[in-house]
Every structure is written in C-alpha cells, then in structure tokens.
Amino acid sequence: NRLHATEVTSSSFRLLWPKLLSQETGYYTLEYAPTADLARKRSQQVSGAHTSLVLSDLAPETTYEVALIPESNVHYFPPQTTRVTTLAEEISPVQVLISDSGPRSFHVSWAPVLDSVLSYQVLYGPLPGNSVKVLEVDGRHNSTVVEHLAPNTTYLVTVTAIYRSGKEKSLSAKACTQEGERGE
C-alpha cells in the first residue's frame, strides 16, 4: 500500500497513495522530476484529505522520479517515492494523400509511419451515403489501392491508425473518381 501510478499516458499519470494524513493533520508535498534531469524538479502541495492526483504536461517516453512527502503536525512519516515512465507519443496520421485516381480506383497513402502502429484501417464510402467498406493494412505499410469503385463519384476516405496500446487515431480525406469511359 504505497505510492504508485495508474492511468499512465504519454503526457500524464495518476498517483495514488495510502491515506496517511487528514485535512486537519497536515498536507503533502509532491515533488517530481525527469530521472535524466533532476534539476528540473517541480513540486506542488496537496491537501491532507487527498489520496490521489493527476500530473499532466509531462514529456513522452520519460521516466519520472516522484516523491510524496507527508507534512504532518502529529507524526513523522517518511517520504514515499516511486518511478513512473510515460508512454510513447501516439501520433495520428498527419497526411492522407489521394493519387492515381481513375474511374474505378484510386491510391491512398499516409504519413508518418510509426513503430507504435499495429495496423491501419482504411474506411471508404461514397458521399453522400453510409455504405462504408474497410481495408486492413499492415502497420509497416503506408499506402494501399482502393478498387471496384463507381466512376465520377466523391468518396470519403478515413485512415485509422491502430496502436499497440489499443488506442486509435483517425484522419479523413475526400477522393473523386474520374468519369468513366463512354459505353461502360
């Protein structure tokens, strides 16, 4: 039953600790700093009634040293310390590019390609309308060809990155197929 972290993200985590103090018996001083740069220590005071606090605005993929110092006017409590490492940044696809558009197909590519992505889902469907098809693309690839389309039609294309952490981030673009040959 010690100081520990939960709900860790790339920029925040929640600290939980046992109830050592009460509103009347004192307060906590919380100090935290990146392990690699302890000079950048930040501290804040927390009411003795609290047993949890979210720290935010943290750097991604960084290990923090955290110390909880109970400032009691009744008993001495030793400081509790823990180490927490934030997650890698989950970046959404920044660009979706449509190219090589023909009457029945177009090419979709996206950037950046990230190690933290397990796979991409490419959703596409004609506008207006709600019939959507899905293509699964391996996370190592950053493009695919969408085929069997209707000529002279606007499509909404959404690329969703599915991260190893289970998170998903999406970005959409519009694509138009060319007019078909006469007599198709």
Side-chain angles (χ1 to χ4, degrees), residues 27-177:
Y27 61 91
Y28 299 99
T29 299
L30 192 71
E31 297 183 341
Y32 58 103
T35 305
D37 189 4
L38 293 174
R40 293 194 15 231
K41 184 161 72 177
R42 289 190 257 178
S43 70
Q44 64 191 88
Q45 291 189 353
V46 189
S47 148
H50 286 277
T51 55
S52 142
L53 179 73
V54 173
L55 294 183
S56 53
D57 294 328
L58 305 175
E61 283 191 277
T62 303
T63 301
Y64 284 86
E65 302 280 334
V66 182
L68 180 76
I69 303 152
E71 312 275 4
S72 166
N73 49 25
V74 184
H75 297 287
Y76 168 74
F77 293 103
Q80 297 210 358
T81 58
T82 189
R83 268 186 181 190
V84 188
T85 304
T86 52
L87 303 181
E89 191 102 68
E90 309 280 28
I91 308 169
S92 53
V94 180
Q95 285 172 302
V96 172
L97 298 168
I98 309 290
S99 57
D100 300 338
S101 168
R104 299 268 174 206
S105 67
F106 49 76
H107 185 256
V108 185
S109 57
W110 52 89
V113 174
L114 301 162
D115 291 340
S116 51
V117 175
L118 200 57
S119 65
Y120 294 96
Q121 278 184 349
V122 179
L123 284 75
Y124 60 98
L127 287 172
N130 51 13
S131 64
V132 175
K133 295 199 165 92
V134 182
L135 283 173
E136 290 273 354
V137 181
D138 185 281
R140 291 189 300 268
H141 299 298
N142 72 329
S143 67
T144 189
V145 175
V146 180
E147 297 174 308
H148 312 302
L149 303 174
N152 201 17
T153 302
T154 301
Y155 283 84
L156 182 66
V157 180
T158 302
V159 176
T160 301
I162 297 167
Y163 292 87
R164 297 181 196 284
S165 64
K167 285 204 181 116
E168 298 184 10
K169 298 267 183 103
S170 301
L171 186 69
S172 299
K174 282 183 184 165
C176 297
T177 49

Side-chain angles (χ1 to χ4, degrees), residues 13-36:
F13 49 80
R14 177 182 289 281
L15 290 165
L16 299 169
W17 60 85
K19 190 166 172 54
L20 301 172
L21 306 175
S22 67
Q23 192 84 42
E24 294 74 49
T25 60
Y27 61 91
Y28 299 99
T29 299
L30 192 71
E31 297 183 341
Y32 58 103
T35 305

